[in-house]
Amino acid sequence: MTKPLERDVNQQLASEFGLSAEEYARVLAIMGRTPSFTELGVFSVMWSEHCSYKSSRVWLKQLPTKQPWVIHGPGENAGVVDIGDGLAAIFKMESHNHPSFIEPYQGAATGVGGILRDVFTMGARPIANLNALRFGNPNNPVTKRVVDGVVRGIGGYGNCVGVPTVGGEINFHPAYDGNPLVNAMTVGIARKDKIFLSAAAGIGNPVVYVGSKTGRDGIHGATMASTGFAADSEEKRPTVQVGDPFTEKLLIEACLELMATDAIVAIQDMGAAGLTSSSVEMAGKGGVGIALNLDNVPARETGMSAYEFMLSESQERMLMVLRPDRQEMARGIFEKWDLDFAVIGELTDTGRLTVMHNGTLEADIPLAPLNDQAPLYTRPTIDTPKREKLNPARIEDRMGLTGALKVLVACPDLCSRAWVWDQYDSTVGGMTVKRPGAADAAVVKLEGLARGLALTTDCTPRYCLADPELGGAQAVVEAWRNLTAVGARPLAITDNMNFGNPEKPEIMGQFAAAIRGMAAACEALAFPVVSGNVSLYNETEGRAILPTPAIGGLGVLDDVTKAVGLALPPWLDLVLIGSTQGWLGQSLWLREIAGREDGSPPPVDLAVERANGDFVRTRILDGTIRACHDVSDGGVLVAIAEMAMAGGVGVRLSTHPRDVPGHAFWFGEDQARYLIAVPDSASVLRAAETAGIPATRIGTSGGKDLTLPDGGTISVDELRALHERFFPAWMDG
């Protein structure tokens, strides 16, 4: 008799579960029989794009992952780097894109909860959250609803769990209509000799479930995240998980308390694919078998099937392998924190996953082929056609510097994000040194030490669309520059590769090219990739998002008191580091003022990036530089305006070089540039000349107005009013 909610297993059902005909044939060959309903569910989630990376693994291998300070690279729950004083930083970024469109609040909230668990499951206390968000056209009424829900979800979860949200970024573009991107990043600190890994070991050791009870939420969430959206996306609401940050806080404290003992052999959070992925990955990495009895799994709903237990993505749950003699001590800790604790299985020497439920063997799968024979595709690629370099002299400036600056500082991509970050608690814990908006990267002090971490998230998707290889490299160097601009030594990155349907050669071409660019930049900057996430099939009704390889960067400051922000003090010289050709291709000036989105993006010279950044960092750390801001979206004049608004101080600007048109010099987005504020520009210019670094004095701070080289003047107060207008007016309108 067919069980409730279950159906006969065949090719049609496998297809509905996301398995191709070839993949289902491989399942039949591995099993030597038709799999049960539950077994098919296990294969479908473990072989989903979301869990298996079947379209991306061949390319990800190109990324540099090693440096002397890297303790654990990709392959664990999160990356681990040595930050000195016997400590390690553990960090990762992950996506919750599809759930956040269907149910913005819970989608974003559970994205934060999931990335927190990836970090504390390795023994780290989370100290900071960041995010990278992309939304559709603000004129689309759906966009406002999604933005509101996502921001509240991030704030609601992070604030309640007591981890500060210290940084992030937001872009808008019609390509994200129907498919926003919600990438969440968490950073934690652990002793480097006390890192917990996920490989199970010890035949007969108990497999223990801790945390919240299991319900029916999130079933087939991993499969849903491995397909594009159609018009029926609202019907997928049951695949979105529901989060409880208060339980997460208890789970953090209970896990860290148990981690202070010698009880844990292996630990894994139940993320995508829930109990299935956690048990399969732990046993697979350890080369052992695992036997589960679902009758012992704490359930919050009655009558759940084995399939539902195995595929539920209910939140705030962990799976552990414990030493048998520490089992009752561990139970006492979790019961003290009012969390479920249940022995649901044991490790075996069979090399198989077996699942019992109500006295019936519901699944019996060999683990090795489930992992080793997982699909791996080298999909066809088509290169993105190169775009023409634009001649700035042939692009008419119809608005002048003052008019263009007013438009740019008020536009959705450059306006103040205070409405967003004011909903996040960025200072809980008391260790935040540079809050959102205060510097190019967030800075968080380590408790009891002078040392601190600098953190950032970065990507310029419009560059990636025009030239994915260059865009991938630029995303990495932008993160490197932002860390450098506060005085930090960049150590490593995590990435979140957000792309459309990999079965389309042009999309796979974007992915492959972005990886090439990222790899080259990481190599040149000694800035390895230590963790990451791939999110494909980000498209709705066949329309893909902009290729978005989001980068999360981490750097270290030996003394956080030396960190600088972007707020401009009065009566200092303003010096531009780096050369300027006036590159307008793919710039925000071109889009917002000229109404065009064409041309090739600005080139990236990795040797110049390294040299200019090292020069700037050295002078931040020796106290020469009082404020610093990297030049990116909007060019030099927007960067100056941001420094002026942050400091409440005006600037009188010098004339620009005559060989570059004025609008191109002030709004071009040439790379490898920084604005620095110094008491004595002459000595800095001499040092730059000696080092072969381009440097130009372009103004002096003071007063309350921004005086432009074409004679235009605008008060800092007026700039700030324009800058701060968009979000409150849009959300209240």
Side-chain angles (χ1 to χ4, degrees), residues 45 60 75 180 216 225 227 258 322 375 386 472 547 570 582 621 626 631 693 721:
V45 293
L60 296 174
R216 291 187 171 97
T227 59
L258 184 61
L322 299 181
K386 296 293 184 183
L621 296 179
R626 306 296 172 80
V631 179
I693 303 296

Side-chain angles (χ1 to χ4, degrees), residues 89-92 115-116 119 124-130 163 185-189 453-455 553-554:
I90 300 179
F91 68 111
K92 188 180 182 184
I115 197 63
L116 281 165
V119 167
R125 178 171 290 281
I127 64 165
N129 288 331
L130 297 92
V163 178
M185 175 175 167
T186 292
V187 182
I189 302 297
L453 299 179
L455 311 166
L554 179 143

Side-chain angles (χ1 to χ4, degrees), residues 657-676:
R658 293 188 175 182
D659 58 342
V660 181
H663 61 295
F665 179 87
W666 293 105
F667 297 114
E669 295 181 5
D670 306 67
Q671 299 294 291
R673 296 185 298 166
Y674 301 80
L675 283 164
I676 59 174

Side-chain angles (χ1 to χ4, degrees), residues 422-607:
D422 282 350
Q423 297 186 55
Y424 305 153
D425 191 335
S426 60
T427 60
V428 61
M431 294 291 114
T432 306
V433 175
K434 297 294 183 187
R435 299 174 60 181
D440 284 2
V443 178
V444 180
K445 187 177 181 293
L446 303 183
E447 190 170 2
L449 298 172
R451 191 179 304 270
L453 299 179
L455 311 166
T456 185
T457 60
D458 295 287
C459 185
T460 311
R462 63 185 185 278
Y463 292 177
C464 299
L465 179 67
D467 187 332
E469 184 168 353
L470 187 151
Q474 193 276 339
V476 172
V477 300
E478 175 75 9
W480 195 85
R481 280 202 301 265
N482 282 332
L483 299 174
T484 293
V486 300
R489 182 174 74 257
L491 290 183
I493 68 170
T494 182
D495 61 53
N496 208 138
M497 307 295 291
N498 307 274
F499 289 78
N501 183 348
E503 298 166 46
K504 297 178 179 178
E506 63 274 20
I507 300 296
M508 210 62 234
Q510 292 174 346
F511 187 93
I515 290 288
R516 289 196 301 271
M518 290 167 56
C522 290
E523 196 69 52
L525 301 174
F527 200 30
V529 181
V530 296
S531 60
N533 175 246
V534 176
S535 176
L536 302 177
Y537 294 96
N538 286 289
E539 52 182 63
T540 298
E541 297 184 354
R543 297 188 305 275
I545 61 163
L546 302 184
T548 310
I551 303 297
L554 179 143
V556 65
L557 285 140
D558 294 331
D559 182 353
V560 294
T561 64
K562 294 184 177 180
V564 299
L566 58 85
L568 190 60
W571 317 123
L572 294 176
D573 290 343
L574 205 57
V575 174
L576 175 63
I577 300 295
S579 63
T580 301
Q581 297 181 30
W583 201 281
L584 291 177
Q586 298 300 323
S587 67
L588 284 182
W589 182 93
L590 190 72
R591 189 181 82 190
E592 299 293 329
I593 307 303
R596 296 167 53 178
E597 294 185 63
D598 62 327
S600 59
V604 172
D605 186 318
L606 296 171

